[in-house]
Amino acid sequence: MTDTHKPAPQDIRQAREDNPKMRERDLAQQLGITEADLVAAFCGLNVVRITPRIETFLTEIQTLGEVMALTRNESAVHEKIGVYDKPIVGKHASMLLGEQIDLRLFPDSWAHGFAVEKQDGEFTRRSLQFFDAAGEAIHKIHLRPASDLDAYHALVTKLRLDDQSQSIELTPLPKPEEKTAEIHELDADGLRNRWTQMKDVHEFFGILRSLKMTRHQAVQVIGQDYAWALDRDALSAMMQHAVQEQIPIMCFVGNRGCIQIHSGPIANIKTMGPWLNILDETFHMHLRLDHIAELWAVRKPTKDGHVTSLEAYGADGEMIIQFFGKRHEGSGEREDWRQLVENLPRILRSAA
């Protein structure tokens, strides 16, 4: 929807009042606006517009103490309770390397920020919310009962912008580039040659860029000794086995501006309709199983031996969620995780 056809801020607020229990994301979709538009309509009331500059708040966010970090995409939600600590600020990427809250942040995508207060019965819920240029949520920080309110108010004051208007200008994200080649036209031999020589999994992104290949294309052409398709039910089976055998995992959920990581055991798995949920004390994950078009097991070489991931892709070929066995840099992969993934039910695919 173009800006000229958006509901006026007062109409957005009226819709919120008429639908008090509807989730913001769902209400925005119903109104044909973005979630950022919905939040902005309350500026000057219970919302304060703040700078989205990562480096401005990243080194001070730990003063809030315990909070809940939330990162999501269209199909998965990742929530972690803990403290924002061990920040590393970079020009093109920043990191939080805390024991509980582990993030990779890409500042070029952070365009709008808000401090939001929402009344919920007797309680006031407070959060910092960040969005990309198109109004899609990148990352949210929700205060907890143990959070430091004085530190929160001081931080909001520091981050506050002069512009507190109730509407925002959005920029549509560039359309994904057309695939440079069909599967049979890709340089599968070049990919395999460089894949087999990897010493670090982070080399993978450079390989994809140089070969003008998407991650999804790469797993399709590398060969079944390095990537093999799994039955979609294998993801639920993996989680159940990880719980039963107490195998600590790493769970990655991201969008263009943020990747959030859980490292550790999981305990409470629950399916509710299309959602597969992890409901643990400091970690919640919500995954739309019906959005998964393909599930792949992927093996990459490193100087410490190969590491194995479980990767779920949507119908658009974009990754929804990724899992590893918990490991530390410089150490080998857990044998129990490796065996678990290698024994999940496969889908046999004929060679191209």
Side-chain angles (χ1 to χ4, degrees):
M1 175 175 285
T2 63
D3 288 355
T4 56
H5 292 92
K6 285 181 184 178
Q10 61 267 29
D11 295 327
I12 295 174
R13 294 194 296 272
Q14 184 62 52
R16 172 79 282 182
E17 185 176 341
D18 294 341
N19 300 275
K21 295 184 178 181
M22 186 177 290
R23 294 167 56 225
E24 281 79 2
R25 191 178 180 90
D26 295 336
L27 179 58
Q29 187 173 25
Q30 178 176 294
L31 293 174
I33 60 175
T34 70
E35 191 177 348
D37 287 313
L38 177 59
V39 175
F42 289 85
C43 282
L45 300 170
N46 62 321
V47 171
V48 175
R49 191 190 298 268
I50 60 175
T51 176
R53 291 173 59 86
I54 289 174
E55 64 272 22
T56 306
F57 80 89
L58 196 56
T59 56
E60 297 188 36
I61 194 68
Q62 68 267 30
T63 62
L64 273 58
E66 182 185 272
V67 294
M68 189 268 278
L70 186 153
T71 301
R72 69 167 301 154
N73 53 47
E74 189 64 31
S75 306
V77 185
H78 194 296
E79 303 170 357
K80 286 286 289 186
I81 294 172
V83 176
Y84 280 70
D85 57 3
K86 300 181 181 177
I88 299 175
V89 178
K91 182 178 180 181
H92 301 293
S94 298
M95 297 186 285
L96 256 295
L97 300 176
E99 182 178 350
Q100 287 292 337
I101 298 179
D102 188 357
L103 304 172
R104 306 294 178 267
L105 310 170
F106 308 103
D108 287 349
S109 293
W110 294 51
H112 304 283
F114 303 93
V116 180
E117 295 192 356
K118 183 179 178 182
Q119 206 63 31
D120 186 5
E122 299 178 358
F123 302 98
T124 301
R125 301 192 182 277
R126 297 176 174 88
S127 61
L128 303 177
Q129 303 187 15
F130 299 94
F131 300 83
D132 65 19
E136 289 297 312
I138 287 177
H139 186 62
K140 298 181 181 181
I141 303 163
H142 291 269
L143 269 63
R144 303 265 301 161
S147 301
D148 187 326
L149 274 181
D150 290 337
Y152 168 79
H153 290 304
L155 182 58
V156 171
T157 298
K158 181 173 183 177
L159 300 179
R160 182 188 177 100
L161 295 174
D162 291 336
D163 178 11
Q164 293 295 319
S165 57
Q166 294 180 338
S167 60
I168 56 176
E169 291 187 14
L170 299 178
T171 304
L173 297 176
K175 293 182 179 180
E177 293 184 8
E178 294 294 328
K179 292 181 179 179
T180 56
E182 297 299 325
I183 288 294
H184 68 276
E185 298 174 322
L186 296 171
D187 185 3
D189 291 338
L191 173 66
R192 189 171 181 86
N193 180 55
R194 297 183 62 178
W195 187 304
T196 57
Q197 297 181 54
M198 277 194 289
K199 303 298 182 187
D200 187 305
V201 294
H202 298 101
E203 297 174 29
F204 185 55
F205 304 105
I207 294 172
L208 294 180
R209 281 196 299 271
S210 66
L211 295 175
K212 297 182 179 179
M213 194 179 298
T214 69
R215 180 193 290 264
H216 185 231
Q217 288 174 327
V219 300
Q220 293 178 83
V221 302
I222 187 59
Q224 294 192 23
D225 50 343
Y226 285 106
W228 56 96
L230 297 172
D231 187 292
R232 285 185 296 175
D233 291 339
L235 197 153
S236 299
M238 177 277 289
M239 288 192 189
Q240 296 296 341
H241 281 288
V243 171
Q244 292 168 10
E245 300 171 27
Q246 298 184 320
I247 301 173
I249 66 170
M250 300 179 74
C251 173
F252 292 64
V253 170
N255 51 54
R256 67 179 54 246
C258 183
I259 298 172
Q260 187 163 306
I261 307 164
H262 163 78
S263 298
I266 56 175
N268 300 301
I269 312 297
K270 186 173 184 180
T271 301
M272 301 174 65
W275 293 93
L276 177 64
N277 306 280
I278 299 173
L279 303 173
D280 290 345
E281 185 175 357
T282 61
F283 173 47
H284 283 192
M285 186 279 300
H286 313 287
L287 173 65
R288 282 287 298 262
L289 292 174
D290 57 329
H291 286 188
I292 297 175
E294 296 180 19
L295 184 66
W296 289 80
V298 182
R299 181 187 289 140
K300 298 189 186 77
T302 75
K303 59 182 175 56
D304 305 306
H306 71 256
V307 296
T308 312
S309 61
L310 199 66
E311 304 181 356
Y313 292 86
D316 58 359
E318 293 294 318
M319 185 186 292
I320 294 172
I321 195 166
Q322 183 181 41
F323 298 90
F324 291 86
K326 183 180 178 181
R327 62 183 287 269
H328 297 286
E329 197 73 28
S331 62
E333 181 170 68
R334 294 178 62 97
E335 188 61 32
D336 51 4
W337 166 258
R338 183 178 297 177
Q339 290 184 2
L340 170 54
V341 175
E342 291 181 348
N343 284 285
L344 291 171
R346 305 187 182 202
I347 295 175
L348 297 179
R349 289 175 178 258
S350 59

